Amino acid sequence: MTSRQLQSLARQHGTPLVVIDHDLIRRNYASFKKHLPKVQAYYAVKANAEPAIVRTLYKAGASFDVASLPEFMLVYENIKGLPRKEQQDFIWDKIIYANPIKPKETLQALDKYKPLVTYDNLAELKKIRQYAPHAGVVTRLRVPNTGSMVELSSKFGCDPGQAVDLIVAAFDMDLVVEGLSFHVGSQCTNFQNFVQALEMAWAVLQEARSRGHEIKILDIGGGFPAPYDKHVRPFSDLAKKINAEIERLFPKDIQILAEPGRFLVATAATSLARIIGKTVRDGKPCYYIDDSVYHTFSGIIFDHCRYHLKAFRKGKPEICSVFGQTCDALDTISLSEELPELEIEDLVYSENIGAYSNASATWFNGFPPAKVVHVNAR
Ligand SMILES: *Cc1c(COP(=O)(O)O)cnc(C)c1O
């Protein structure tokens, strides 16, 4: 989006505003498929659950990873009857429910869709057997999350030593283990995590086979990093590593899926806010904007992410602080931004803010979440 387009959208819709460019979502999806041609992408809806994003990705050929019943229904309702670009023939080609822990009511509601669901412990398996006996299951393996921006291995995944027992236990209960999955942690810039995880998955599949169980799907999870700054190595480098390991370790006919969230949507959104207050504290200029860490900038808290602010106004950059609109001191967007001297009512914007941003916005302090506008959604 050009500066002119962004400013015109802000004038038209007011602030705070999140602008999502669907050309960029399609481009990210195409890049994912180009570099990982054997991998079907199941978009992790939690990164940004805007229905228009679900529709755009489905039309482009994507499938979906959901983590709750409402997310499942959101996808189900939005893709119904939509045309889709031809893509690989997958056993479960539309939705995986990849939250390893599910309330029994959710399992009951999902059962009639014969869903694909993940698990990483015996209690969950028993629950699935009782409440969703028509589900196919995927065993979630715990793998190293070293250096990832958001760590997941302390909460999910069975230890490699238990995995095969959990697979056998599922078959003993007359459930079918369709796949093995892992997640290397979100915004994974340490590509070795993927290499190690693939090796661990291979070892589990080997042992399962030796105990009489062939597993058809390998789910390599999410974690594909968005290019937030120049330190993130190109996606093509990571893809090369993944392709080489897959080629080396796994049989030709294995079905491989991934659950990219951030990678598909992070770069597709820009947020716009207005300066609503300014002062000087300890000699440093301070600006207050009409958005906050409880709203579009919630990724600062929940996602451990940093966002830079830019101005349309020209001028000599100076170090300043930027705070959100709420009354909480936690609501600090940055203590060291470089912005020219700004006036009240000036616009500022933040790029690459499409993942884990408006998705986790609240109504704290009575301020509603930013308006979301979609461009090039077709
Ligand atoms: C959050 C999540 C994802 C998406 O992760 P990204 O790092 O955004 O790609 C994928 N799979 C599971 C199971 C998740 O919990």
Side-chain angles (χ1 to χ4, degrees):
M1 299 243 91
T2 64
S3 298
R4 186 192 294 258
Q5 284 169 315
L6 289 171
Q7 289 174 91
S8 137
L9 286 166
R11 264 194 307 276
Q12 188 185 340
H13 297 279
T15 57
L17 190 65
V18 175
V19 180
I20 299 179
D21 183 346
H22 287 237
D23 276 346
L24 292 173
I25 296 176
R26 280 185 286 265
R27 196 180 301 170
N28 290 340
Y29 180 77
S31 159
F32 193 89
K33 289 304 288 182
K34 173 173 171 232
H35 294 292
L36 292 173
K38 283 197 227 129
V39 181
Q40 173 65 8
Y42 286 60
Y43 169 57
V45 171
K46 76 170 188 288
N48 195 322
E50 283 288 308
I53 295 179
V54 169
R55 293 193 292 269
T56 288
L57 281 169
Y58 182 76
K59 285 191 258 182
S63 308
F64 300 92
D65 156 13
V66 302
S68 69
L69 185 59
E71 280 187 3
F72 183 94
M73 294 319 301
L74 171 90
V75 171
Y76 191 83
E77 294 301 333
N78 273 282
I79 67 178
K80 233 195 264 172
L82 277 192
R84 186 191 206 183
K85 213 167 157 175
E86 44 83 32
Q87 43 99 55
Q88 284 142 301
D89 200 13
F90 257 73
I91 319 175
W92 258 273
D93 74 335
K94 294 195 175 67
I95 306 179
I96 179 170
Y97 189 109
N99 187 338
I101 303 295
K102 296 156 284 296
K104 73 175 196 301
E105 294 79 6
T106 295
L107 289 168
Q108 280 166 327
L110 287 174
D111 191 48
K112 70 171 180 213
Y113 302 102
K114 301 189 173 60
L116 186 61
V117 303
T118 63
Y119 75 101
D120 65 8
N121 66 79
L122 200 56
E124 187 71 17
L125 206 49
K126 289 180 181 157
K127 224 166 33 166
I128 295 169
R129 177 74 192 92
Q130 186 175 358
Y131 299 106
H134 298 97
V137 298
V138 171
T139 313
R140 168 95 170 250
L141 190 63
R142 178 178 182 179
V143 298
N145 279 202
T146 316
S148 296
M149 191 165 81
V150 185
E151 199 270 346
L152 293 163
S153 58
S154 59
K155 184 167 175 183
F156 294 122
C158 65
D159 284 326
Q162 309 170 317
V164 180
D165 284 344
L166 276 173
I167 290 168
V168 172
F171 281 108
D172 286 349
M173 289 182 201
D174 286 327
L175 288 166
V176 177
V177 181
E178 301 281 0
L180 182 68
S181 76
F182 58 74
H183 197 304
V184 295
S186 199
Q187 186 68 6
C188 172
T189 49
N190 171 13
F191 297 170
Q192 240 4 68
N193 283 349
F194 274 103
V195 173
Q196 283 181 35
L198 286 166
E199 277 179 12
M200 289 165 71
W202 172 80
V204 170
L205 293 186
Q206 284 292 100
E207 199 189 328
R209 179 180 303 138
S210 76
R211 289 171 70 178
H213 299 297
E214 193 76 38
I215 290 175
K216 298 189 287 275
I217 301 173
L218 173 67
D219 173 356
I220 64 174
F224 309 94
Y228 290 121
D229 59 56
K230 60 181 190 305
H231 303 294
V232 179
R233 280 176 292 155
F235 177 64
S236 54
D237 289 3
L238 171 59
K240 262 188 218 126
K241 274 205 159 73
I242 293 175
N243 288 330
E245 287 302 289
I246 288 174
E247 183 82 9
R248 184 170 75 84
L249 295 169
F250 297 96
K252 292 271 164 295
D253 61 349
I254 194 154
Q255 299 201 345
I256 302 171
L257 64 91
E259 302 164 349
R262 183 191 306 281
F263 181 83
L264 296 179
V265 293
T267 56
T270 302
S271 78
L272 289 138
R274 207 160 33 109
I275 306 290
I276 54 168
K278 65 179 279 192
T279 185
V280 176
R281 303 177 68 82
D282 300 325
K284 188 163 54 162
C286 292
Y287 299 105
Y288 300 81
I289 64 171
D290 62 350
D291 206 331
S292 89
V293 304
Y294 288 92
H295 298 84
T296 312
F297 292 86
S298 56
I300 292 173
I301 309 292
F302 298 126
D303 193 35
H304 315 284
C305 196
R306 284 204 60 184
Y307 299 103
H308 289 291
L309 288 162
K310 293 182 178 171
F312 297 109
R313 183 188 285 277
K314 301 272 174 283
K316 190 163 95 33
E318 45 185 17
I319 300 287
C320 61
S321 300
V322 179
F323 297 109
Q325 66 200 343
T326 74
C327 254
D328 187 353
L330 177 74
D331 188 7
T332 300
I333 290 166
S334 175
L335 293 176
S336 61
E337 282 304 292
E338 284 193 29
L339 290 168
E341 188 180 357
L342 298 174
E343 302 302 331
I344 288 182
E345 295 295 313
D346 277 359
L347 290 173
V348 287
Y349 65 101
S350 190
E351 297 168 306
N352 302 328
I353 196 163
Y356 308 111
S357 50
N358 54 296
S360 39
T362 71
W363 280 75
F364 181 63
N365 234 179
F367 294 109
K371 180 172 180 187
V372 177
V373 295
H374 297 272
V375 299
N376 302 316
R378 287 211 288 275

